[in-house]
Each structure stands twice: as C-alpha cells, then as structure tokens.
Amino acid sequence: DDLKLRASVGQTGNAQIGNSEYLALYGMTNIDLGNGLTSQVYPSQIANNDLGWEKNTQYNIGLDVSLLNGKLTFTADAYVKNTNDVLLPIPSTASTGISGNSIQNAGQVRNKGFEFAVNYRGSIKDKFTYYIGANIAADKNEVTKITLGGQNLMISGYSAHGAGGRGINMFAEGHSMSYFNLIETDGLFRSAEEIANYKNKDGELIQPGAQVGDIRYKDWNGDGKINTDDQHDVGSPFPDFTFGVRLGGEWNNFDFNLFFDGMVGNKIYNYPRYRLESGNFNGNMSTVLANSWRPDNQNTDIPRFSKTDGADNKWAYSDRWLENGSYMRLKTLDVGYTLPKNLTKKVKLENVRIYTSMENLFTLTKYSGYTPDLGESTVAGVDYNVFSRGIDQGRYPLPRTISFGIQVNL
C-alpha cells in the first residue's frame, strides 16, 4: 500500500497564435483609377511593439493512494491556473482604415478545478478477472480583469455571419470565457390578451409588433423594449464537469473492454437550426417547421412561421438556438476470444486472438445536431479558437466504426 502527496507550480506560454502578429504588414491590390489597373500598397496590420507573451501560471496539489495490495488506487488533483496577458483578436478602430482584427494582450483569466480518478482490479474464483475505473474532472474559468480599453470592454466573438447582434459569445470581466450573449425567450404568446398585457411601466407594449404564436422575449434590462441591449449571459460552452468510465474483464479465453465518456452542463449554439428554421434564408428548410404554430396547430412550442411580416422569431441572437450540450457516449468496445493453447501449438503459433473493435457506437444526448462533441475549431467563423467553443456550424460527426481482426504471435 502507498500514499503520496504532490505539489507543483509551473509557467507556460501560448503557441496558438500566428506569426508576425507584432509587425506592421502591408498588402497589395489593383485599383482602376481611370487609366487602367494600378498596383497599390496598403497597410493590412498595425505594428504592436507592446505585444507580449501570454503567461499561464498553474498551482497544483495532488494525492495518490494505493490500497489492498495495489488492487484499489485513487488519484486526486486540485489546481488553480492564472493566465495573464491573455492574447485575443481585437477589432481595429475605424480611424485606422484597417479592417479585421489584431492580436493583443487583453486581460486575465483564472481557471480552478479538480480531477479525480479511481481504479479497481479484482477476480471471482480465479476464473473471472475484471477491472473498473472512473474519472471525473471539473473546471471553472472566469475573466478576472480586462487590461485593454478599460474594465467595461466586452470583446465579441462569433457573429453568426453578421447576424449576431452584439455578439453570440463574448469575453467580459466577471464571466466565463466565450459565454453565450443572447436574448432569453419566454415561450410563445398564446393569445392577443397576453400580448396586450405584456407592458412596460409606462403602459406601452413591450413587443408591439407581436402576433399570436410569436416568441415572447424577456426584457432583461427593464427598459420596456426588446433589442440587443437585452443580450446577456445565458450559459457557457464549457461543461460543469467531464467524466469517463472504463470496464473490462477476462473469462474462459474471452475478453472485453469498454469505455464511456461524456460531459455535463455545457451549452451549444446550433447555427444549422438557425439556417433551416428561422426563415431568413431561401432554399431548404427543416421539416420541424411543419409543426409551427397555426390557428389549427396551437399545441406546439415552434413559433409562427412567416417570411413576409418581419417577425422577431427570426433573430439569430436569441437563446432559441441554444441547446443543452450534455452527452454520454460509448466511445470504444472491444470483444475478443483467444484460441486455446492446445490448438495453436498444433500449427506452431504462440497465440491467436480473434476480435472485433467498435468505436462511437451510440451517444445519449438531448442535443438535436449531428454531434455534441465539438471541442474547438478553426473553421467556425471566428478569429480565435476559444470563441468556437460550443459553436456548431454543421460540424461533421465522429464516424461509427466496426472492425474485425486476428492477432497472431509466432
């Protein structure tokens, strides 16, 4: 049996940025000034001599325990990671005449959490040997300080291709990194009386253009009207915790191994649903719209559909498109059979194992998209990967694979 305490501290940087971000860069283009095309040079990036390294300082304390002659093991870790001079893409001011973003040191972020794992190996009457293991990890991050442009600066990320109001997700002090910044929905208006009674303190209608069957929005800032000022923190793309479970065993030459993984508490912005259900786009639409509210179909949560009257149901910056991203998935399953030694020796082979290996057999989730396992992406219409967290732009799902094989040892 064994007991070990651990403690550590370390500092790292961030290599996930492009090259030459601190330099003044120029581009070339051709412009017609009336006498044919003329080559022109223009500034494409302003020099930033103050750009510095992002610094991640992590403090960790851990415990390792081994009991029952090594059959039972525990591992626990708790940590705090402080990130200073966070590197983020910041839009260039209009006065520079330069479009796009530049990488700058924007603020400070704190991550704190724990990781715990337990494993046990045992046997039943020396005929069935088995193992079981589980791990869980929780992490909470918070922007603790904005060092660029004042503490009230809010840096927007994903814009839903220009339709995201003040930004679908944001980087702001006191919030999780890349939190979802959306207007809250509050069901549907079920009658004209509900619309007439939804008034501000001056007796004015809060949603004067609403019709029966339209979405009712929450007046979050209390100013008596619904607009982008009502966008606020409605959830995080980061999970409350992640987990994994491993099981395996051997019995009479048969063996099996399986692994479950998952996460709980994260949100996903489903951009394909917005494209297919909002009515803002021509082309294919979702079959879900067949269940939209109509006078003859009032028992539904799908709002009234219209492409002509400018209904507010089409907004990209509401939590109508935000979904629960929690899931549990059977990641791997392996089943094998090892031929008896008396058979393999006849053909002068040491060992022969026949097996099947399966990956991503099923996923349990309430998320309606292809896959809730998104991670970060460089193709989600953002300039920095953290802003792609929880953004689904039609990400291709992990393939389900089933393979068969034979392992032979001579």
Side-chain angles (χ1 to χ4, degrees):
D1 295 348
D2 187 44
L3 173 65
K4 180 170 65 175
L5 290 172
R6 294 176 283 104
S8 63
V9 60
Q11 190 174 80
T12 59
N14 178 7
Q16 297 181 354
I17 59 173
N19 298 320
S20 307
E21 296 289 351
Y22 66 97
L23 295 175
L25 300 180
Y26 295 85
M28 293 190 66
T29 187
N30 293 322
I31 300 177
D32 189 350
L33 300 178
N35 298 317
L37 293 178
T38 302
S39 296
Q40 300 288 328
V41 176
Y42 65 94
S44 60
Q45 178 175 294
I46 297 177
N48 183 3
N49 295 325
D50 296 324
L51 186 65
W53 287 106
E54 178 179 298
K55 295 178 285 293
N56 303 304
T57 304
Q58 181 164 322
Y59 305 88
N60 186 90
I61 184 170
L63 173 68
D64 297 327
V65 179
S66 178
L67 301 172
L68 304 176
N69 295 320
K71 291 183 178 180
L72 180 64
T73 60
F74 298 90
T75 300
D77 287 273
Y79 62 88
V80 174
K81 183 175 74 170
N82 296 317
T83 303
N84 293 311
D85 298 324
V86 173
L87 293 168
L88 286 179
I90 307 299
S92 300
T93 58
S95 60
T96 65
I98 298 177
S99 61
N101 302 321
S102 62
I103 298 295
Q104 299 185 41
N105 300 109
Q108 300 173 359
V109 176
R110 172 171 291 177
N111 288 69
K112 55 184 178 180
F114 70 86
E115 299 174 355
F116 178 77
V118 58
N119 295 280
Y120 181 79
R121 291 182 177 273
S123 62
I124 300 176
K125 295 182 179 181
D126 296 326
K127 292 184 177 181
F128 177 58
T129 61
Y130 63 92
Y131 72 87
I132 180 172
N135 65 79
I136 185 172
D139 179 274
K140 181 180 180 181
N141 73 76
E142 180 182 349
V143 179
T144 56
K145 187 177 181 180
I146 298 292
T147 57
L148 181 71
Q151 64 179 11
N152 294 322
L153 176 70
M154 300 175 68
I155 302 169
S156 62
Y158 181 67
S159 67
H161 300 277
R166 293 192 297 124
I168 300 299
N169 50 21
M170 304 285 287
F171 181 93
E173 185 173 331
H175 299 266
S176 167
M177 289 186 69
S178 193
Y179 72 89
F180 288 110
N181 181 55
L182 304 170
I183 298 177
E184 282 188 88
T185 57
D186 190 22
L188 305 182
F189 287 112
R190 302 291 178 176
S191 66
E193 183 180 8
E194 287 187 12
I195 299 174
N197 290 334
Y198 194 34
K199 300 177 181 179
N200 59 26
K201 61 183 180 181
D202 298 321
E204 300 171 335
L205 293 179
I206 293 179
Q207 289 183 239
Q211 299 183 37
V212 178
D214 284 349
I215 294 174
R216 174 184 177 128
Y217 294 105
K218 291 184 179 180
D219 181 19
W220 176 73
N221 66 351
D223 65 356
K225 52 189 176 183
I226 306 297
N227 54 32
T228 55
D229 292 335
D230 293 302
Q231 290 181 245
H232 68 284
D233 190 343
V234 295
S236 171
F238 296 94
D240 295 330
F241 63 88
T242 59
F243 64 89
V245 177
R246 292 183 181 275
L247 298 169
E250 295 181 6
W251 175 77
N252 284 351
N253 290 8
F254 287 96
D255 64 87
F256 75 94
N257 300 275
L258 57 84
F259 173 59
F260 291 93
D261 71 343
M263 60 179 61
V264 175
N266 58 303
K267 301 293 185 180
I268 296 177
Y269 182 83
N270 193 335
Y271 182 75
R273 270 193 58 216
Y274 166 66
R275 293 276 306 191
L276 294 173
E277 297 179 26
S278 67
N280 277 336
F281 305 90
N282 296 321
N284 291 334
M285 296 185 185
S286 172
T287 56
V288 170
L289 295 177
N291 193 34
S292 296
W293 188 96
R294 302 186 304 275
D296 62 342
N297 185 48
Q298 299 187 26
N299 188 25
T300 179
D301 293 325
I302 309 301
R304 181 180 65 91
F305 180 79
S306 174
K307 287 184 67 67
T308 59
D309 65 6
D312 294 340
N313 306 325
K314 302 176 181 180
W315 288 347
Y317 45 89
S318 82
D319 67 0
R320 176 184 176 185
W321 319 112
L322 196 66
E323 301 186 33
N324 184 351
S326 303
Y327 72 90
M328 183 177 74
R329 172 182 52 196
L330 179 53
K331 178 66 175 177
T332 60
L333 172 61
D334 298 322
V335 179
Y337 177 74
T338 301
L339 297 181
K341 294 291 186 181
N342 59 351
L343 292 180
T344 57
K345 287 182 178 180
K346 291 181 180 180
V347 292
K348 298 181 179 181
L349 296 176
E350 180 67 24
N351 187 75
V352 177
R353 178 176 177 265
I354 304 170
Y355 70 91
T356 178
S357 179
M358 293 159 273
E359 296 184 1
N360 305 312
L361 278 183
F362 64 82
T363 302
L364 302 177
T365 183
K366 293 183 178 180
Y367 181 60
S368 65
Y370 280 131
T371 177
D373 185 13
L374 299 177
E376 294 183 0
S377 170
T378 58
V379 293
V382 297
D383 294 286
Y384 196 63
N385 286 4
V386 71
F387 286 130
S388 70
R389 278 270 184 176
I391 300 295
D392 185 356
Q393 285 217 137
R395 209 83 60 84
Y396 192 80
L398 295 173
R400 180 184 295 120
T401 60
I402 301 176
S403 58
F404 300 88
I406 299 177
Q407 294 175 330
V408 178
N409 294 332
L410 301 178

